Amino acid sequence: MTNSDYRELQLSSSQLVLIFVAIIVLGVIIFLLGVSVGKKQAQITETTQIAEEPITEKVEEEKPKPVVEPAEKTKPAEKTKTAITEELASHEKKSRDKPKAKAEPALRRNLYYIQVGAYKNRESAYSVADRLKGEGFTILVRDPSSSDRRGLYRVWVGGFETREQADARMADLAKAEGKKKIDYFIVKH
């Protein structure tokens, strides 16, 4: 190996410190950008996971209509083909006649809610929500957010403009539950 094949960079100590500081600053900037993007992503997923009620559609069973045979003799394949065509036409007509489902109201921010429970199990949360809804309360079940480490389904009552309204409704809730002491609390969302 000759001297012409080997080159060496010579840096003074001040140049070395400047490079080191520049690398640290670049690393901090990249870290802060990542935190910012993560927070925005958490906010987006939090707003999209809110479900006021599960959307269910009632399906009515329809009794099959008897197939009317024409006077002329037809082949069996033609009979089934006409029966299928008639059935498809009746289903299309029903879907056109069916009224459109109402859009869910948008969740408003800065309202007060009474949290009556937080459950790991979705079915438990919805059973409590159904029971309270049967008693006349407005219920909201919040799915776990991406930032929630425990993954809890929260059951909320209300959507009150003021904390005083929420306090009054919490007293009504305690009476409806027949409890003297309740562990419910008010949250603002």
Side-chain angles (χ1 to χ4, degrees), residues 93-179:
K93 182 181 177 187
K94 283 185 180 181
S95 66
R96 275 187 264 127
D97 295 342
K98 188 182 256 186
K100 300 284 183 188
K102 293 181 182 177
E104 286 189 32
L107 182 68
R108 294 178 39 204
R109 295 286 181 162
N110 296 324
L111 295 178
Y112 293 92
Y113 296 90
I114 303 166
Q115 182 166 322
V116 296
Y119 303 91
K120 283 189 179 268
N121 186 323
R122 184 174 199 258
E123 290 77 25
S124 299
Y126 277 97
S127 69
V128 170
D130 290 340
R131 180 176 51 83
L132 291 172
K133 192 178 290 184
E135 294 177 13
F137 294 100
T138 304
I139 302 297
L140 175 76
V141 178
R142 296 237 10 236
D143 290 340
S145 64
S146 61
S147 61
D148 188 8
R149 287 181 276 166
R150 292 179 287 184
L152 298 175
Y153 292 88
R154 290 168 171 78
V155 180
W156 289 354
V157 173
F160 307 103
E161 296 289 331
T162 64
R163 187 173 181 91
E164 290 76 26
Q165 291 174 334
D167 283 329
R169 194 64 170 161
M170 190 160 42
D172 296 340
L173 187 61
K175 288 178 188 174
E177 293 286 311
K179 296 180 181 179

Side-chain angles (χ1 to χ4, degrees), residues 65 67 77-90:
K65 296 180 182 178
V67 178
E78 290 177 8
K79 287 181 186 177
T80 57
K81 185 177 181 180
T82 55
I84 291 171
T85 306
E86 289 173 3
E87 187 177 342
L88 283 174
S90 68

Side-chain angles (χ1 to χ4, degrees), residues 2-15:
T2 64
N3 283 341
S4 63
D5 293 339
Y6 181 69
R7 293 185 181 213
E8 182 177 326
L9 289 176
Q10 294 181 353
L11 299 173
S12 68
S13 61
S14 61
Q15 289 174 330

Side-chain angles (χ1 to χ4, degrees), residues 17-124:
V17 168
L18 182 66
I19 291 172
F20 180 73
V21 169
I23 290 172
I24 296 296
V25 167
L26 184 65
V28 168
I29 290 172
I30 291 171
F31 175 77
L32 292 176
L33 285 173
V35 169
S36 174
V37 168
K39 283 185 179 180
K40 286 181 183 177
Q41 187 66 29
Q43 288 174 349
I44 290 170
T45 56
E46 182 178 290
T47 58
T48 58
Q49 292 181 351
I50 297 173
E52 190 164 321
E53 290 183 16
I55 300 173
T56 57
E57 184 177 316
K58 292 183 180 179
V59 179
E60 297 177 13
E61 291 187 28
E62 180 182 309
K63 294 181 182 178
K65 296 180 182 178
V67 178
V68 179
E69 293 185 25
E72 304 172 5
K73 291 250 178 180
T74 57
K75 296 179 185 175
E78 290 177 8
K79 287 181 186 177
T80 57
K81 185 177 181 180
T82 55
I84 291 171
T85 306
E86 289 173 3
E87 187 177 342
L88 283 174
S90 68
H91 284 294
E92 287 176 0
K93 182 181 177 187
K94 283 185 180 181
S95 66
R96 275 187 264 127
D97 295 342
K98 188 182 256 186
K100 300 284 183 188
K102 293 181 182 177
E104 286 189 32
L107 182 68
R108 294 178 39 204
R109 295 286 181 162
N110 296 324
L111 295 178
Y112 293 92
Y113 296 90
I114 303 166
Q115 182 166 322
V116 296
Y119 303 91
K120 283 189 179 268
N121 186 323
R122 184 174 199 258
E123 290 77 25
S124 299

